[in-house]
Amino acid sequence: MTNDMNIPFESKEELEEIRKTLVKEQRELKRKKFLKNKMSVAGLCIVIIMIIIAIFAPSIATHDPYETNVMESLLPPSAQHWFGTDKIGRDVFSRVIYGARISLFVGVSVGGISAVLGLIIGLYASTNKVLDNILMRCCDGLRSIPNLLLAITLMTVLGAALKNVIISLAIVSTPGVARMARSSALVVREQTYVEAMRCLGAKKSRILWKHIAPNILAPVIVQMTFAFASAIIAEASLSFLGAGVPSGTPSWGSMLSEGKAVIYSAWWMIAFPGAFTALTVLGLNLFGDGLRDLLDPLTN
Amino acid sequence: MKKYIVNRILSVIPVLIIVSIVVFSLLHLTPGDPAIAILGEDATQEAIDELRERMGLNDPIPVQYLNWLNDIFHGDFGTSTASSGEAVTSMIASHFIPTLQLAIYSTIVTVLLAVPLGMLAARKRGTVVDHGVTVLALCGISLPSFLFGLGMMMLFAVKLRWVPVSGYKAMSAGLGAHFRTMIIPAVSLGFMHSAFMMRMTRASMLEVLNSDYIKMAKSKGVKELWLVAKHALRNSLVTLVTVIGQGFIGALSGATIVESMFGIPGMGSLVVNSIGRRDFQVIQAVVLLIAVINVVMNLVIDILYGIVDPRIRLS
């Protein structure tokens, strides 16, 4: 039997060509399917708008978010101050715009860090029973402390700083991603192609990183969007409680907390930062739901 | 059954040990000397030495851990390092009741919202009702609990003036006054949690309604009411147990922010007030206690699963 009978193609190049077209077609199909889901497209749009606001904050903001003016304390929304002013006369619109920077920066960093750490922990947990037990018990232990409480404690210990908010929230959200990555890895490692690689004598680390990791990326990415969303909520909650970013920093949570103190007289101080927080999280959740339906149909 | 329960209990022990190690090491994560962190940069050397001695910080860390654990088993969580110098155990005891009350009320809200709405959405699958419930659930998941609470506060306390903005009245001050202060916090907390639970109830109800034995019973001509009562209900019990248990755990955990927002003197407020005072002993104790309650509640839920559903206990 000649090789030509098994592979009825002219050359390796042609085979590669066909593979590429297939991958491209599949991508096209997925893109179409995603665009059909109006809710997740709307979610994606919200997220993109927020990212644009965050990046171009200095040109969008109408005032300096730190500039105080006691003469203009607690003014209602007007043409001069679109979202009104706060107790020490700072422009709420500019602070909300700059707040998007803090929120999204925390969200992206926490999502990214916990996805990478979770992926590594999950992958290695799936390789070895003893390691699995140790790592998963640690994750269980961390997960049994309520998220916000753990974050508050870490913040008290580490001190108020943006960097520490990110560290605390990454510690809080990594175990969830790790658990997800582990259970997906356990399914993938039983697949025939992984078994085939093992039989061919591929190195363990090669199997782990070149064959298992790419195949559990989808659920990890989905989990990452949810970690992103909950990090935004958590940052707002921490700052609301005064355990987040240093006071004075324009963060949605601390603005809400300042707004609560003047709840009887200044509705705008709660309404605007509140709406931005809720909208961003809603956008991320909608996008995440769509992504999950697309990448990971089994979990739904 | 016995074997199942024993296995479940044994599986919890390592988690509890890890929790205690995590909580213990939190204090040692402080950059530099924990005693300086507590007393502040300008503390005298004598005060620092005295605190180090009193907290046993001069011992090796494993010894400190075992001493700490030993004290806890004797109900001693140390003394508050803030000026009052009160025993942490008695501080927790006096803050426990409001948290427990809030957790119970908000669990009731969760169950009352999530179960009927979830079941309704499942029965009317694909209709406007179903979509409405789904959107409501999504809003509940996306709104941070304190934001929803602030909204409720603005509406009911500031605009309508039905309830006070914040404050707490014990039950002894009269039931009416007590519930007036608790209703908004309980609803804010319960609503947030019911979002997840609604989705869960809907999914599990759909699963039960689509199962072969329900179809079989239907085709046999079993009456609708009997069908739900006899066949569907028992199989949905697992969900109900989860809704109640998780609702309660969620309420305990989420209480931190809602309590401090509405001025309820519970354990959450205790923690938040301790942040500013850098009162590590109190924070450590509350975190440990809530984590242990969390683990134990999950254990109870697991055991209840085994009781209501033999399939789980035998698998």
Side-chain angles (χ1 to χ4, degrees), chain B residues 145-173:
Chain B
S145 63
F146 64 95
L147 210 53
F148 184 69
L150 277 175
M152 300 265 289
M153 197 190 256
M154 279 174 98
L155 180 62
F156 292 106
V158 178
K159 275 261 173 295
L160 300 171
R161 293 178 189 265
W162 288 353
V163 291
V165 167
S166 69
Y168 170 76
K169 291 269 182 344
M171 257 186 186
S172 53

Side-chain angles (χ1 to χ4, degrees), chain A residues 198-246:
Chain A
R198 258 198 295 271
C199 295
L200 285 171
K203 259 195 296 187
K204 267 190 181 155
S205 59
R206 187 189 163 85
I207 295 179
L208 206 59
W209 290 104
K210 287 218 92 160
H211 300 279
I212 297 181
N215 285 298
I216 65 168
L217 222 49
V220 170
I221 290 173
V222 173
Q223 197 72 9
M224 190 172 86
T225 48
F226 293 125
F228 188 166
S230 45
I232 289 182
I233 295 188
E235 187 277 322
S237 309
L238 280 177
S239 302
F240 183 79
L241 291 173
V245 291

